[in-house]
Amino acid sequence: MGQTLPKPGLRPFLPDDVSVLAAIFTASIEQLTGDDYSEAQQQAWMEAAEDEEFGKQLAADLTLIATLEGSPVGFASLRGADHIRMLYVHPAVAGQGIATMLVDALEKLAGGRGAKSLTVDASDTAEGFFAKRGYAAQQRNSVTINDEWLANTTMKKTLGAAP
């Protein structure tokens, strides 16, 4: 018999979370995006966690933290009522439903805020995840981060009518 994994929890972002979320952010980029981005692109992307703006953005958005046994293992943020700005899961728990739980919660919150649809600028690594959830590609983007060009795709999902 397999061992039962602890049930993940959700909680709001707290200012003291910045350093652990920065560690999740960098581990996720470093270990999960290598098939889609070069080392130089990954390095430029990870450097965003070293900027003090990182914590300010987490605080400005509605940021949720997924926990296992009380420890943060992933996070997602909603900017305004209708844009998923960040979704990162620690590589040790990738593929275990943490990202799904976070996006489910953001979709419910967005609907509660009156959003009719949600958008996300999905990395090439995350594009398949969002496509499986019903997000449709709208346009390809190139963004510059620390002199490196990174591609992503703006995706959109129409939220269902409230039950």
Side-chain angles (χ1 to χ4, degrees):
M1 285 241 155
Q3 88 183 54
T4 305
L5 292 173
K7 186 167 172 47
L10 274 180
R11 67 170 177 80
F13 167 79
L14 300 169
D16 288 348
D17 293 323
V18 173
S19 62
V20 72
L21 298 190
I24 291 168
F25 176 86
T26 51
S28 177
I29 294 165
E30 185 174 47
Q31 296 177 43
L32 301 176
T33 68
D35 290 344
D36 301 301
Y37 298 95
S38 71
E39 281 186 42
Q41 289 172 317
Q42 289 175 304
Q43 193 61 45
W45 188 358
M46 289 187 290
E47 286 172 8
E50 298 167 13
D51 187 337
E52 78 178 46
E53 284 299 307
F54 183 77
K56 289 179 182 176
Q57 290 175 347
L58 291 168
D61 295 341
L62 187 156
T63 301
L64 295 178
I65 297 175
T67 60
L68 280 176
E69 298 180 334
S71 296
V73 293
F75 66 98
S77 64
L78 184 67
R79 169 141 300 159
D82 62 359
H83 184 73
I84 297 173
R85 201 175 72 71
M86 285 200 251
L87 172 64
Y88 292 90
V89 172
H90 194 281
V93 297
Q96 295 180 25
I98 302 295
T100 297
M101 179 183 72
L102 285 162
V103 174
D104 283 348
L106 290 185
E107 288 176 359
K108 286 178 184 153
L109 287 164
R113 289 179 163 193
K116 302 291 184 230
S117 63
L118 259 182
T119 60
V120 62
D121 294 328
S123 69
D124 291 353
T125 306
E127 188 174 352
F129 168 81
F130 284 105
K132 286 179 188 165
R133 296 187 56 84
Y135 288 75
Q138 303 291 301
Q139 70 182 34
R140 286 289 284 166
N141 308 301
S142 289
V143 293
T144 307
I145 302 174
N146 297 327
D147 296 327
E148 285 291 328
W149 287 92
L150 283 80
N152 66 33
T153 302
T154 299
M155 302 180 80
K156 184 176 182 177
K157 178 180 181 176
T158 301
L159 298 176

